[in-house]
């Protein structure tokens, strides 16, 4: 049994005339007759019976027809949906990004992308997480593009740098350090820290910064993402190191530039190497890279 036979069967069941059905299918009448005979042989029953010069479905043929029609209708819907998914102007993109990009960076990218008249029918499914989880989802092909905060050595993943953010110190607004505008990180040694946990893409950067000034931090608690860290700092649980994100202006914290050591956190667009990307996904990936490198990367 093959798909062509099922289309032949459906057409013949509708027209109920072998010659006319063959003409509509643009095949010879013997070819159609042979195909139906092979189908009946495989199914072990008669699907048609003669009625004068015409033919009609047997009760078994009528029973089988309902399944064939549903199957072919489902295939046609699947074909239509697939064409829309892979169309450059009607595709769907599964995009994931680290938590801190959700308030400004990701919405800005999608807004700028959607202003292009050719891309307005492209839809998105959005999800968030830490970098390690996003890259796992990327490799499992449950997302198409990940906007993440670190490069993980992996031969399957391509990383493209698209943005950078200054790494700063934040302290509660009534903290002894709050009067400073910039600081040598060595001067934070006496104070407890709210820290990122080891799942965070920023944790290796913070560890490296403190190691450079020979500080073994007293860690009060560990969190997964920037907003939670800022919230705990604002309530006086400790001081924290994180990127200078726009949302910090909404927390009761003082932002202090770190003059030594000075670091930046980079944002990357990650996609799978040697992997098919639908046209819409390729368009958006290229847009993200070009837009990010134009507006969000420091120009020396």
């Amino acid at each position: 049994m093959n798909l062509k036979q099922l289309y032949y069967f459906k057409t013949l069941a509708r027209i109920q005339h072998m010659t006319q059905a063959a003409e509509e299918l643009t095949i010879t009448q013997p070819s159609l007759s042979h195909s139906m005979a092979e189908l009946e042989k495989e199914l072990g029953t008669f699907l048609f019976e003669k009625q004068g010069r015409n033919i009609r479905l047997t009760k078994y043929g009528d029973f089988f027809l309902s399944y064939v029609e549903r199957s072919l209708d489902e295939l046609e819907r699947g074909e239509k949906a697939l064409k829309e998914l892979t169309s450059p102007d009607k595709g769907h993109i599964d995009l994931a990004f680290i938590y801190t990009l959700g308030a400004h960076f990701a919405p800005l990218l999608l807004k700028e992308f959607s202003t292009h008249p050719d891309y307005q029918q492209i839809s998105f499914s959005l999800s968030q997480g830490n970098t390690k989880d996003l890259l796992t989802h990327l490799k499992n092909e449950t997302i198409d593009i990940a906007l993440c905060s670190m490069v993980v050595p992996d031969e399957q993943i391509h990383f493209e740098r698209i943005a950078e953010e200054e790494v700063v110190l934040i302290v509660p607004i009534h903290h002894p350090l709050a009067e400073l505008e910039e600081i040598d990180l060595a001067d934070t040694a006496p104070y407890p820290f709210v820290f990122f946990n080891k799942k965070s893409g920023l944790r290796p950067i913070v560890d490296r910064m403190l190691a450079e000034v020979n500080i073994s931090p007293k860690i009060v608690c560990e969190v997964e993402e920037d907003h939670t860290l800022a919230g705990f700092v604002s309530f006086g649980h400790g001081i924290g190191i994180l990127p200078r994100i726009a949302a910090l202006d909404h927390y009761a914290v003082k932002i202090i530039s770190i003059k030594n050591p000075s670091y930046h956190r980079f944002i990357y667009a990650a996609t799978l190497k040697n992997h098919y990307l639908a046209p819409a996904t390729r368009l958006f990936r290229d847009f993200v890279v070009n837009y990010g490198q134009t507006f969000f990367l420091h120009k020396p």
Side-chain angles (χ1 to χ4, degrees), residues 67-84:
Y67 287 91
V68 170
E69 288 177 332
R70 288 198 297 271
S71 299
L72 294 180
D73 287 347
E74 190 67 18
L75 283 172
E76 289 173 1
R77 284 193 292 270
E79 180 183 9
K80 180 181 178 182
L82 181 62
K83 287 181 178 178
E84 289 181 354

Side-chain angles (χ1 to χ4, degrees), residues 132 150 196-201 203-204 207 222-224:
K132 290 184 179 180
M150 66 179 177
F196 287 108
N197 65 28
K198 292 183 179 180
K199 296 178 68 176
S200 167
R203 176 62 180 264
D207 286 340
E222 294 185 352
V223 301
E224 185 173 335

Side-chain angles (χ1 to χ4, degrees), residues 11-43:
T11 302
L12 183 56
R14 173 172 54 83
I15 296 176
Q16 298 188 33
H17 193 285
M18 188 69 72
T19 302
Q20 292 175 11
E23 290 176 354
E24 181 171 314
L25 293 166
T26 63
I27 60 174
T28 65
Q29 185 272 332
S31 295
L32 177 58
S33 180
H34 175 73
S35 181
M36 292 301 94
E38 289 296 309
L39 182 59
E40 290 177 327
K41 181 179 178 181
E42 182 173 348
L43 294 172

Side-chain angles (χ1 to χ4, degrees), residues 107-122 124 284 287 291:
L108 175 62
L109 283 179
L110 266 63
K111 180 181 179 181
E112 293 297 324
F113 181 74
S114 66
T115 59
H116 194 294
D118 292 340
Y119 306 157
Q120 292 179 356
Q121 295 189 64
I122 295 175
F124 290 83
F284 182 70
F287 170 83
Y291 189 87

Side-chain angles (χ1 to χ4, degrees), residues 9 21 52 55-56 66 74 76 87 93 102 112 120 141 164-166 174 193 195 209 215 217 241 250 296 300:
F9 169 71
I55 59 174
R56 68 178 183 183
S66 64
E74 190 67 18
E76 289 173 1
S87 167
I93 301 169
E112 293 297 324
Q120 292 179 356
E141 300 185 38
E164 64 180 310
E165 299 167 323
E166 179 191 5
H174 298 300
F193 277 84
F195 232 59
M209 292 176 71
I215 289 180
I241 299 172
H250 302 290
F296 297 113

Side-chain angles (χ1 to χ4, degrees), residues 5 18 21 45 47 59 64 90 97 103 107 115 159 180 204 233 237 248 261 269 273 284 290:
Q5 282 179 312
M18 188 69 72
T45 188
L47 301 174
K59 69 175 184 178
F64 185 56
K90 292 184 179 180
F97 42 86
T115 59
F159 294 90
L180 302 177
V233 170
H237 291 277
L248 289 180
K273 293 180 181 178
F284 182 70
N290 292 332

Side-chain angles (χ1 to χ4, degrees), residues 176-190:
L177 298 177
E179 62 184 25
L180 302 177
E181 298 300 326
E182 63 177 16
I183 193 170
D184 187 312
L185 204 55
D187 295 333
T188 64

